[in-house]
Amino acid sequence: MRRALAQARRGLGRTTPNPLVGACVVTDEGVVVGDGAHQRAGQPHAEVLALEQAGERARGATLYCTLEPCAHTGRTGPCTERIAASGIRRVVAAMEDPFPQVRGRGFAQLRSRGIAVDVGVEHRAARLLNLPFFTFVREGRPFVILKAATSLDGQLAAAPGQRTQLTSAAADRHAQYYRAQVDAIAVGSETLLVDDPLLTAREIFRERPLVRVVFDRRLRTPPTARLFSTISAGPVIILTSSECLRRHPGQARLLEAAGATLVAVDSPALAASVRALAQFDVQSVVIEGGAEVHQAAWDEGVVDYVQLYLAPTLIGPKGVPFLQGRPLSPSSLIDARVVPLGPDVLIEGYVHRPR
């Protein structure tokens, strides 16, 4: 199963809106005769690829898969039929697929064909691997990662409206690595105005377009913002309000001409804007700033994971505090990790216990 999980990780950053899935076929003698990893939506599933590699050696063997095989026809046919036709004797799965069209049906179909099914091996590892997909299916919103860089005294910037570089090149490379895996990056309009970021994945390969999101209820985003110079890297979505679009039709037209997709969210809650991203198949989003957006996301309970980069510097009380000065330490997170990155330190972990 650990081998199958390693196969699944090959699809990181590629498979949305599908989950990450890996599989391997093992003979009774313990010989691995087939491996498979789902790579992209619409392409063969991991189980099918592993079976194709195994060929006739799959007859009488065991199929290990990180998620329940599908039993329905979507962009591809049901994996359960391919498994049954291959002569596989036993299927070992890490967990049930919560997707409504599967959810136990795959296991039921396999058992009805006389195939032994065992569920639960490396369940926790498989669950953590696909938390964005599970959050999307169960809650109808993306998995939210709150990312921030602060000084040792918990400040985001030297002063309001002042761009402040805190982290080292090592920390920045680590952040880019995560940008290559998630579906979207989001910032508030204040961060856009102050930093004018590109919001692209740099110094690391990313196969799929990266969705760039701006929370901008006042429609302050300038059409000349640098992120519009990188539309080829991925769409720009501006989440605003219907009232603002009615009051500023000229600004709306300029932004659309620049390449933005404008989405009206009438609820002032940030959670409603986050949920609106589901219509674009965004299953994971990193909220990178600024202070007000961080605070709103935290207070509204939509943050699932925290990545806090600590720089070895002090700013003082005139700075912009992270979460209004609320202390955030490894002890306040679940499965927390503390990782040195050059002179900086990364503290990361789950806000609530993953399910």
Side-chain angles (χ1 to χ4, degrees):
M1 186 60 77
R2 291 178 185 143
R3 183 185 181 103
L5 286 164
Q7 291 292 319
R9 293 186 188 98
R10 292 172 52 198
L12 280 168
R14 297 177 176 178
T15 63
T16 302
N18 289 357
L20 295 162
V21 183
C24 58
V25 178
V26 184
T27 67
D28 284 346
E29 293 77 28
V31 179
V32 177
V33 293
D35 286 315
H38 183 49
Q39 295 287 336
R40 298 168 194 85
Q43 293 191 5
H45 289 185
E47 302 93 322
V48 171
L49 292 171
L51 290 171
E52 286 179 349
Q53 192 177 101
E56 282 301 311
R57 293 172 296 180
R59 193 161 299 279
T62 297
L63 173 69
Y64 291 83
C65 48
T66 59
L67 193 65
E68 178 182 7
C70 66
H72 67 289
T73 299
R75 298 187 190 184
T76 60
C79 289
T80 52
E81 292 300 318
R82 295 291 297 272
I83 294 169
S86 73
I88 283 287
R89 176 179 58 84
R90 177 181 177 228
V91 170
V92 179
M95 64 178 296
E96 181 181 281
D97 188 342
F99 189 64
Q101 290 179 279
V102 185
R103 200 183 296 167
R105 292 182 178 88
F107 295 146
Q109 285 192 15
L110 291 172
R111 290 182 174 121
S112 72
R113 302 290 289 271
I115 298 171
V117 176
D118 294 302
V119 185
V121 178
E122 291 288 344
H123 178 275
R124 175 176 168 78
R127 186 175 77 249
L128 294 180
L129 184 65
N130 272 311
L131 279 178
F133 174 75
F134 298 149
T135 302
F136 188 86
V137 169
R138 291 169 174 156
E139 301 183 32
R141 66 165 177 85
F143 182 82
V144 176
I145 302 163
L146 189 151
K147 176 207 162 205
T150 75
S151 60
L152 287 177
D153 53 348
Q155 307 296 324
L156 293 165
Q162 182 173 327
R163 184 175 184 177
T164 306
Q165 177 65 39
L166 291 172
T167 50
S168 64
D172 291 345
R173 281 194 298 271
H174 184 272
Q176 294 296 328
Y177 171 76
Y178 270 88
R179 282 188 178 187
Q181 297 181 24
V182 298
D183 295 330
I185 302 175
V187 296
S189 59
E190 183 68 19
T191 295
L192 190 78
L193 292 171
V194 172
D195 295 343
D196 196 16
L198 289 170
L199 300 180
T200 55
R202 300 181 294 278
E203 300 180 19
I204 190 166
F205 174 73
R206 179 184 171 88
E207 184 172 305
R208 296 172 56 245
L210 177 62
V211 177
R212 280 81 58 76
V213 178
V214 183
F215 299 113
D216 187 5
R217 294 194 60 78
R218 290 175 284 177
L219 213 59
R220 299 193 297 166
T221 301
T224 55
R226 290 202 305 158
L227 82 170
F228 292 121
S229 69
T230 59
I231 289 293
S232 60
V236 175
I237 299 172
I238 297 178
L239 298 167
T240 186
S241 67
S242 298
E243 180 185 358
C244 198
L245 291 176
R246 286 193 299 269
R247 291 173 56 189
H248 305 288
Q251 174 75 345
R253 284 193 296 270
L254 289 173
L255 289 170
E256 289 176 333
T261 298
L262 303 180
V263 178
V265 181
D266 290 329
S267 170
L270 186 77
S273 291
V274 169
R275 191 172 293 275
L277 294 174
Q279 65 186 286
F280 299 98
D281 281 336
V282 171
Q283 293 184 357
S284 57
V285 58
V286 175
I287 297 181
E288 295 200 348
E292 291 185 8
V293 172
H294 282 157
Q295 187 69 46
W298 185 267
D299 289 345
E300 294 177 27
V302 297
V303 178
D304 300 295
Y305 197 80
V306 170
Q307 289 183 320
L308 183 62
Y309 297 84
L310 292 180
T313 186
L314 297 172
I315 288 178
K318 293 185 179 179
V320 179
F322 174 61
L323 296 183
Q324 296 182 352
R326 185 178 307 170
L328 190 63
S329 65
S331 62
S332 60
L333 299 172
I334 296 170
D335 294 341
R337 295 197 317 146
V338 179
V339 183
L341 296 169
D344 307 317
V345 172
L346 168 67
I347 298 174
E348 63 178 348
Y350 298 97
V351 176
H352 42 76
R353 193 163 299 283
R355 67 181 185 90

